[in-house]
Amino acid sequence: MGSWHALTHQPTFAASTMLLLTDGTVMCQAENSVHWWRLTPDSTGSYTNGTWSTLADMHNSRLYYASAVLRDGRVVVAGGEYSDAGGDTDRAEIYDPVANTWTPVGNPGWGYIGDAPACLLADGRLLMGYLHDARTALYDPGTNVWTATGNKASKSSEETWTLLRDGSVLTISCANHPAAERYIPASGTWVSAGSTPVDLVQASSIEIGPALLLPDGRVFALGATGHTAVYTPPGNSSGTGSWATGPDFPKDSSGRLLKAKDAPGCLLPNGRVLCTAGPAGDTINDYPSQAMFFEYDGTNLIRVADPPNANTKIFAGRMLLLPTGEVLYAAGTQAVHVYQPDPGPQTAWRPTITQVPADVSPGVDYRLTGTQLNGLSQAVSYGDDAQMATNYPLVRLRNPSSGTVTYCRTYYHSTMGVATGTAAVSTNFAVPASLPLGNYQLSVVADGIASAEVAVVVDKGMGQVAYILVDHEFGGGSTMWAYVDGKWYARGTTPSELAGMAQELFAETNVTTWWSNLALDGMRGWKYY
């Protein structure tokens, strides 16, 4: 089983909801406030040795709310069961990590959002439910417009929503338990997903636990009753799928099942699920305290070590999967701990790179294409109070000479879906302007799982030529050499081409060269008068 270790630099604030930005840093809210902080990994990519810095304050404080990292890399937060804007506020705003600014956005028009469940769809729109009736709505970040979509069979309050492989969204109804539903984006409708074989919803509190999409396409759902269940989706949009009983949590000293009542969960890169449960009764305000940690291996719930900051109510817990495959755990205190799981994953789960430039320049943006760039699952789940999915690609550069690790901000991913298989998907990435020149190994990471590395040269790509030389070879071939910024770059030429180049370039006052992968790509000369 895995092991825990503390951050070297612990936060000076009550760490709560955490979101993984597409530049590899983590933004973390100071609980129930307007304040946000950034955790930046050290030069070797270690989050354990990372450092904290402040981010811009959002406009309204909020506790227990909807959130998502959007396909363009921005972050949306909406609602808040508790807020300085009023209880169950409908205020929403978007954070721009590049500008470090928050901008208020609209709302569905219901009057309340509060701790409404939400889920980012494969096309990048945000699906949200209403607390007080069956209505649901879609938010399009591109147009900044909310639109109504299909009604559920019952209200969405306290539910956990999970994105499936086919792009539909699964939920177990808390208001109408043990019934389950699925949202079908193509038709904008909700359909039945059958009923759980054991009740996962605690009747007194109408609470439930997280639900994680597994690498094999099934969903592992945890209950506030101490029971669990496993869902197998149907092979079509209208089917109900099927449910099977999962393992129960162990009993506490009073003979009651431990309960995952408003609790976090995380799919590990090795395919197991890290989750929590705790001792509690069945009354509405009896929430489990002393979070106890388990790993689900596909069959059993296996007890693992608890971090030192687990001695609080489990609903305060937040998990976040890191690009390293580790899991951050915060619980509303000035302590954050890191879980290092057993090795994984299976080779078939890894993203693959099919196309990326072999030569890149600092301060320039590029496109990367591959398969499974968004991982196999949203990977992180809690439910209505917090959504912290990590199913989007991050681009990582490793310098094998110095050991430094640098993340390139990604944006406008072609999909926000999961388990995209052999389909070609893509993302844009921005090479940091401050990145030192040299030879790097590039990989793409999703849900803590990295692709195989590919060699990439980081150079300027364009510059004024200091010297031009021609190397004539026996047999008629020639090589054109250009000396730029302390390096020689070469390009083979034919005799006829060389004649034209010599007349054009050697007679000019200034010559600029472009290169790709350390070889000349083009040259241009001109005179100043």
Side-chain angles (χ1 to χ4, degrees):
M1 294 296 110
S3 59
W4 292 95
H5 47 275
L7 292 185
T8 301
H9 306 289
Q10 290 289 5
T12 57
F13 57 93
S16 184
T17 295
M18 301 172 288
L19 293 152
L20 178 64
L21 298 179
T22 64
D23 64 359
T25 63
V26 173
M27 63 182 296
C28 180
Q29 186 198 16
E31 187 176 60
N32 197 18
S33 76
V34 299
H35 306 308
W36 287 83
W37 294 71
R38 182 196 301 271
L39 176 65
T40 302
D42 73 5
S43 61
T44 66
S46 169
Y47 290 84
T48 299
N49 296 320
T51 54
W52 294 97
S53 58
T54 56
L55 295 174
D57 289 347
M58 60 183 169
H59 293 83
N60 293 109
S61 67
R62 56 192 83 233
L63 177 64
Y64 313 139
Y65 54 91
S67 58
V69 177
L70 304 173
R71 64 181 292 266
D72 61 8
R74 295 180 300 161
V75 174
V76 61
V77 296
E81 185 174 354
Y82 305 99
S83 171
D84 58 9
D88 285 337
T89 180
D90 64 354
R91 295 192 184 179
E93 45 192 308
I94 284 183
Y95 176 68
D96 183 341
V98 177
N100 189 30
T101 56
W102 291 89
T103 303
V105 296
N107 57 65
W110 297 326
Y112 299 95
I113 292 179
D115 57 345
C119 182
L120 203 66
L121 302 179
D123 64 9
R125 293 178 299 169
L126 184 71
L127 176 68
M128 180 177 289
Y130 186 37
L131 299 179
H132 302 301
D133 63 35
R135 285 178 288 174
T136 63
L138 292 167
Y139 174 66
D140 187 333
T143 61
N144 191 29
V145 172
W146 291 86
T147 56
T149 188
N151 287 353
K152 297 173 72 270
S154 60
K155 64 182 181 181
S156 302
S157 182
E158 304 298 339
E159 292 181 355
T160 300
W161 290 5
T162 306
L163 183 67
L164 304 183
R165 286 181 168 186
D166 65 357
S168 64
V169 177
L170 173 72
T171 183
I172 299 166
S173 175
C174 288
N176 190 32
H177 57 103
E181 296 182 71
R182 275 194 311 133
Y183 177 74
I184 312 301
S187 60
T189 59
W190 290 85
V191 300
S192 172
S195 297
T196 59
V198 287
D199 206 340
L200 306 184
V201 179
Q202 187 182 67
S204 60
S205 62
I206 315 298
E207 297 281 8
I208 198 170
L212 287 303
L213 180 66
L214 303 175
D216 62 8
R218 298 178 302 154
V219 175
F220 178 55
L222 294 79
T225 57
H227 302 302
T228 70
V230 179
Y231 177 71
T232 301
N236 56 70
S237 61
S238 60
T240 59
S242 61
W243 288 92
T245 302
D248 283 348
F249 281 101
K251 294 180 179 179
D252 63 17
S253 58
S254 301
R256 306 170 301 190
L257 292 177
L258 300 176
K259 298 173 176 61
K261 181 177 176 180
D262 261 358
C266 181
L267 177 67
L268 302 174
N270 59 23
R272 297 183 174 188
V273 173
L274 180 68
C275 55
T276 65
D282 294 319
T283 58
I284 184 171
N285 292 319
D286 189 359
Y287 282 85
S289 58
Q290 179 58 44
M292 303 170 68
F293 283 70
F294 296 82
E295 280 193 16
Y296 172 67
D297 66 0
T299 304
N300 301 304
L301 284 164
I302 303 168
R303 186 78 163 93
V304 298
D306 302 328
N309 60 337
N311 57 343
T312 185
K313 293 187 181 298
I314 64 171
F315 65 72
R318 303 287 187 272
M319 292 184 188
L320 184 69
L321 183 59
L322 297 172
T324 56
E326 301 167 305
V327 179
L328 286 180
Y329 180 73
T333 67
Q334 294 183 9
V336 176
H337 289 263
V338 183
Y339 188 70
Q340 177 64 60
D342 288 342
Q346 295 182 21
T347 301
W349 300 348
R350 295 187 182 278
T352 64
I353 298 171
T354 56
Q355 186 176 4
V356 69
D359 188 284
V360 298
S361 300
V364 180
D365 293 14
Y366 300 91
R367 190 84 175 157
L368 182 148
T369 302
T371 62
Q372 292 192 162
L373 302 186
N374 294 66
L376 303 181
S377 169
Q378 289 180 311
V380 182
S381 178
Y382 182 105
D384 60 320
D385 291 337
Q387 298 98 42
M388 294 163 286
T390 59
N391 59 308
Y392 37 88
L394 276 65
V395 170
R396 185 166 64 194
L397 290 171
R398 180 180 63 85
N399 187 318
S401 299
S402 64
T404 59
V405 172
T406 303
Y407 287 92
C408 302
R409 180 180 59 87
T410 58
Y411 62 97
Y412 286 131
H413 325 302
S414 62
T415 181
M416 291 302 294
V418 294
T420 51
T422 59
V425 292
S426 59
T427 188
N428 295 314
F429 67 97
V431 180
S434 60
L435 184 69
L437 305 183
N439 297 311
Y440 289 81
Q441 295 291 316
L442 180 147
S443 59
V444 61
V445 187
D447 288 345
I449 300 175
S451 71
E453 294 181 324
V454 298
V456 170
V457 176
V458 177
D459 53 33
K460 290 187 177 179
M462 174 182 174
Q464 287 287 311
V465 175
Y467 305 102
I468 301 174
L469 296 176
V470 177
D471 183 11
H472 295 286
E473 303 173 7
F474 291 107
S478 299
T479 301
M480 175 72 73
W481 290 88
Y483 187 75
V484 185
D485 293 334
K487 290 184 179 181
W488 286 99
Y489 299 90
R491 178 177 183 271
T493 63
T494 63
S496 59
E497 183 186 27
L498 177 61
M501 290 176 65
Q503 292 178 10
E504 179 182 352
L505 299 176
F506 283 81
E508 305 304 330
T509 304
N510 294 286
V511 175
T512 296
T513 185
W514 293 262
W515 58 86
S516 176
N517 200 23
L518 299 182
L520 287 180
D521 187 53
M523 301 178 73
R524 180 184 177 192
W526 61 91
K527 279 185 179 293
Y528 281 136
Y529 294 96

